[in-house]
Amino acid sequence: MTATATKPTTGRSLPDLPERAQWRATLAIAHKELDDAVRSRWFWMWAIAFALLAGVLASVALPGSRIAGSASFGRTAASLVALVQVIVPLMGLTLGAQSIAAQRESGALRFLLSHPVNRTEAFWGFHLGLSAALLAAASAGFGAAGIVTAIRSGGAQAGAFLRITLLAWILVIAMLGVGMFISAFTRRASSALGVAVFVWLAFVFLGDLGLMGTAVATRMPVDALFFATVANPIEAFRLAALGSFVGSLDILGPAGTYAVDALGPALMPVIVGVLVLWMILPSVGAWIRFRTSKDV
Amino acid sequence: MTTRIVAVALLAWGLVTAAASPAAHEPQDLQTLIDDAAPGAVLDLAAGTYRGGITIDKPITVRSDGAAIIDGGGDDTVITIEAPDVTLEGLVVRGSGDTLDREDSGIYVKAPRARIVDNRLDDVLFGIFLHQAPDSVVEGNIIGAKDVFVARRGDGIRLWESHRSVVANNVVDGGRDAVFWFCDDLEIRGNRISNGRYGLHFMYSDRALVEANALVDNSVGSFLMYSKDLVLRRNLISGNNGPSGYGVGLKDMDGALLEDNLLVGNRVGVFLDNSPQTVGIEQWFRGNLFAYNQIGALFLPSVEHNVFWENSFVDNTVQVTVQGGGRFSGNEWSKDGIGNHWSDYAGYDADGDGIGDVPYRLDDLYDHLLDRNPEIMLFSETPAARALDLAARAFPVIKPRPKVEDPAPLISPPAPPEPPFDLGVRPSAALLVGSLTMEAFAATIVLSTRRRRSLG
């Protein structure tokens, strides 16, 4: 109890320490977090499942490559995007949700904070370490799909492929942030995980189904439909990815045509901007909550 | 230095006397050469640049090995042919005017039996324009276009009332259309047409035979309009996208046969508008591959009497649909007990005869909703849209009426037609390097933890 009471003062006294020392603490925590992640079974399960699925998808989507390389690339990319939509958010959310809550539950957080480490350093240490683990898993998967694609369908759209990879990186960090946000507000790892799975369900299925239902039932105007859809980070990822390998969103019916017309050249920046906001805001929210809470 | 100049001068003098023509690189008067030639003469042009605005009014051959450049200087039509039986071969024609209503062209033919072979046309508004030039041959030409907005471009190849002509093995890039007006019995073979508006465009042209062309990355691969008994066979039609992109569009056609075509990665594979237009006429679609299109086949309402068999519909976002909703009544999806292959067919073949024992029914709930609410196309191919279909199948509370019923679906796809061209898909070094870098990055991160652990 006394430890928690003195914590804010230690936190305030820390800026007096040299800048490098803070970085070093953050990095040390990040390394430790990464070590834990890589040592855990789930990491290998996710990484291998994702790499296998991505590689297999790239192979099965390419039988027409001899006929028309770039067209079948579109197919590969579309299936890869669908895969990323489902798996990557689940990876980020579950990992993020367990981070703080699990450490709190096991007492590891109390132990960590008893060292000369403030909450900000601890938080960004967790964030950095988990991000590195997730980016490694995502890169392994995309690399596998990329190798198959490069050999079998040529590099007509190598740039598009790399852009999709970059978008998936942003998405996985955004989802990690949302997971950590959940984690910062829950005491138990199991309840954080439960909330994370529900949020995943909402992002991937319920949000879209709800919007589809609303559009069908109420004749929702296309502009509202479009912006409500883009607000969902997973949809923002999908639309940005689609835009980068198809070139235009007018294939998406009236709502897509509306977006192309209304936003013109600002369309892609707006969609990617939403994704970047999702990458920043939940993480910052989680950090503020974690910094100001007294729980250990 | 002086010796070199003397040597060059001697060499030039020798060349000039030998060829008995003015020195190269100076604009020569080709018109004079033509005026002086006797009918039936063969003019072998020496290398060099010649002034355009040429008129050929007698049956002669003008040829070169690709080194003679005829430059219109950006004005008017470069070469006009007014006599029958003229041959142009191996010329470079460039720099026509840019006025659409004057039909400024590279080569403008007004007489029968012209042979336009192996020429190269650049920076021209219309490329090769056959106006009432029946029995002509346009073969092996490479046709570029003026780099202007598509509405201001001319047609790479344009035939007007030029029956029985042959258009073969040309490469057309970036023009408006290759268009055929009022031309019967054409043979269109082995052309590659890309980045235009309508790749091949038929207007009131009956009995054309269109084979082994590649129509890639246009707005519409081939638009067939108001023509009868056209045969479109073994063409590669791919990447024709944009808001009104179609692989093949049929408007008011009668008796078309589309056979063994590769319709891959277009916005719409085949678009049918009031075709066939005459009662009692059927149209046939056999052995085509519809793959990776946004919509495999799109019908306007009340289009009837089209017969589809032995086609493969593979992974089109929407396999077949009617614009604005409705069903395909009046069209047949099998012939003589042979249907089509559908990549989303979920039936079985217990008797092993290669034909599914349950009919293929296109009755996706999402597709059904899409017909009435096109705005939800925003969600096509999302996990949510797939989940909706799955749920509708598992709990058939809402049973949409099937749009298509193929009574004899093929279990395995017919062998895909051989593509007429090798599009040159080569392994990509850039993507390979990028992907290997990603793997290396992943490996580095994982290994960095191991190293620290061993350091302790």
Side-chain angles (χ1 to χ4, degrees), chain A residues 31 34-35 38-39 43-44 61 63-69 71-72 75 85-86 132 135-136 139-140 142-144 146-147 149-155 158 161-162 165 204-205 208-209 211-212 215-216 219 222 225-226 229 235 238-239 250-255, chain B residues 217 236 238-239 241-243 262 264-265 267 289 292 294 315-317 366 369 372-388 416-419 422-423 425-428 430-432 434-436 438-439 441-442 445-446 448-450 452-453:
Chain A
H31 277 311
L34 178 62
D35 284 1
V38 169
R39 222 175 289 162
F43 173 82
W44 290 103
S65 63
R66 200 173 49 90
I67 295 162
S72 68
R75 200 63 222 166
Q85 266 183 285
V86 176
L135 290 186
S139 304
F142 269 95
I147 290 169
T149 310
I151 293 171
R152 295 193 49 192
S153 104
F161 189 88
L162 298 178
T165 310
V204 178
F205 294 103
D208 286 0
L209 286 174
L211 283 175
M212 262 190 263
V216 169
R219 295 250 151 234
V222 285
L225 181 68
F226 178 77
T229 307
E235 283 293 337
R238 178 175 70 94
L239 295 174
D250 52 21
I251 57 162
L252 289 174
Chain B
D217 296 337
L236 169 62
S238 171
N241 283 305
L262 297 156
V264 183
R267 190 188 72 102
L289 171 67
Y292 317 135
Q294 294 294 317
D315 285 346
N316 303 289
T317 307
Y366 172 73
L369 288 174
R372 293 192 202 158
N373 306 278
E375 65 272 16
I376 66 165
M377 191 157 187
L378 188 58
F379 301 99
S380 64
E381 295 202 75
T382 58
R386 297 229 170 95
L388 196 63
E418 272 303 301
D422 177 10
L423 281 188
V425 174
R426 304 271 171 274
S428 158
L431 188 51
L432 202 57
S435 306
L436 289 173
M438 284 184 229
E439 295 293 350
F441 168 70
I445 287 188
V446 170
S448 75
T449 65
R450 187 155 299 167
R452 274 199 313 282
R453 221 177 298 157

Side-chain angles (χ1 to χ4, degrees), chain B residues 157-228:
Chain B
I157 297 176
R158 185 182 183 90
L159 269 63
W160 182 283
E161 290 182 8
S162 298
H163 305 302
R164 300 172 301 278
S165 290
V166 176
V167 176
N169 304 330
N170 301 286
V171 178
V172 183
D173 188 65
R176 185 170 62 183
D177 306 350
V179 59
F180 310 100
W181 283 90
F182 311 110
C183 298
D184 295 341
D185 305 297
L186 293 176
E187 192 181 320
I188 315 291
R189 191 188 296 279
N191 302 286
R192 300 183 63 161
I193 303 179
S194 50
N195 300 310
R197 186 185 65 158
Y198 301 165
L200 292 170
H201 185 187
F202 293 86
M203 298 293 286
Y204 307 98
S205 293
D206 296 345
R207 297 178 302 279
L209 176 61
V210 186
E211 267 190 341
N213 301 283
L215 311 170
V216 180
D217 296 337
N218 304 286
S219 176
V220 175
S222 184
F223 223 133
L224 319 176
M225 298 182 175
Y226 315 105
S227 305
K228 292 186 175 61

Side-chain angles (χ1 to χ4, degrees), chain A residues 232-245:
Chain A
N232 177 341
I234 293 172
E235 283 293 337
F237 163 78
R238 178 175 70 94
L239 295 174
L242 214 57
S244 65
F245 74 83

